[in-house]
Amino acid sequence: MTAPSPPEGDLPSGVRRAYTLLVLFLMEAIEQLGTDRALEMLQQAAEKQADIIARELRREAPEDLPPIEKGLRVYRRFMADVGAEALIHERRESSVTFRVKRCPFYEALLDVGVDCGYFLGGLCTNLILPAIQATLRRFDHRLRLEAELIRQSAEEFCLERIYLEV
C-alpha cells in the first residue's frame, strides 16, 4: 500500500507537522526562558545552520558570480528547501524582490491557532529572515535581506528583498 500524494502545491503533512512542532517549541521556549533569551538561542542556532548551508551551497555556486546573483541563489535554495513558494517579483541591478505566497511557517502558525497577522511579523523578523541573512553573509558580508511586506492573511503574500549594502 502506498501513501497518497499530497494535493498539488500542498506540503506533505509530515513537513507541515515538523514546522508546527518548531513553532510550538519556540512558543514554549519563549514562555519558559523569556523572549530575549529564547531569541538569543535562536540566533545562535541560525548561525550554526548558516555554516552548514553555506558549506553545501559553496559546492554548487561558481565563485565568480556577482554578489547579488549569489544572494539570489542562496535565497532561492533556502526557500525551496523549506517548502516555500518564492518567485521573483521585481529585479533591479542591485536588488531582487521575491513574492512569497506559500510559506510553511505561516501554515504552521495557522495550525496552532496563532494570530498570524500579529505574530508572523515577529516570527519572520526573529527566525526566518535572520536564518537566511546569516547564510547570505557567508557568501558576501554586504548582502542584506529585508521584509518589504508581511502578509496579514492567508490570501495575501510577503515581499522580501535581497540587496547589496554599499
Side-chain angles (χ1 to χ4, degrees), residues 59-162:
R59 293 186 288 253
E60 299 170 14
E63 277 298 312
D64 60 344
L65 280 179
I68 202 71
E69 290 301 316
K70 286 182 185 179
L72 185 140
R73 283 185 181 215
V74 168
Y75 179 86
R76 277 189 159 157
R77 176 68 185 274
F78 190 99
M79 296 299 275
D81 286 352
V82 300
E85 178 186 299
L87 304 171
I88 293 178
H89 177 74
E90 179 179 54
R91 188 177 185 140
R92 296 187 175 167
E93 187 176 321
S94 61
S95 69
V96 180
T97 302
F98 289 89
R99 182 178 189 257
V100 182
K101 182 66 177 158
R102 183 183 70 210
C103 177
F105 301 106
Y106 183 80
E107 292 175 18
L109 288 172
L110 292 176
D111 287 348
V112 299
V114 172
D115 177 5
C116 298
Y118 171 76
F119 190 68
L120 188 61
L123 181 69
C124 285
T125 301
N126 294 299
L127 173 65
I128 312 307
L129 297 180
I132 299 170
Q133 178 66 61
T135 305
L136 289 171
R137 272 197 318 273
R138 297 327 192 253
F139 289 87
D140 191 303
H141 69 280
R142 299 169 298 162
L143 283 170
R144 297 291 180 263
L145 175 66
E146 70 178 358
E148 289 188 339
L149 175 69
I150 296 176
R151 74 175 66 201
Q152 298 297 311
S153 72
E155 296 77 30
E156 296 178 20
F157 55 87
C158 295
L159 292 177
E160 297 176 347
R161 182 173 75 103
I162 296 173

Side-chain angles (χ1 to χ4, degrees), residues 2-81:
T2 60
S5 298
E8 188 65 33
D10 283 353
L11 289 174
S13 58
V15 173
R16 229 178 129 149
R17 281 194 287 273
Y19 289 124
T20 301
L21 177 62
L22 174 65
V23 169
L24 290 169
F25 177 77
L26 181 59
M27 291 167 62
E28 187 69 26
I30 288 171
E31 185 176 312
Q32 290 194 20
L33 301 172
T35 303
D36 291 342
R37 180 65 183 129
L39 293 178
E40 177 186 315
M41 291 171 63
L42 191 58
Q43 185 58 44
Q44 291 169 356
E47 293 294 332
K48 291 176 185 175
Q49 179 191 40
D51 289 335
I52 294 166
I53 294 171
R55 270 195 308 272
E56 289 175 21
L57 295 181
R58 282 196 198 289
R59 293 186 288 253
E60 299 170 14
E63 277 298 312
D64 60 344
L65 280 179
I68 202 71
E69 290 301 316
K70 286 182 185 179
L72 185 140
R73 283 185 181 215
V74 168
Y75 179 86
R76 277 189 159 157
R77 176 68 185 274
F78 190 99
M79 296 299 275
D81 286 352

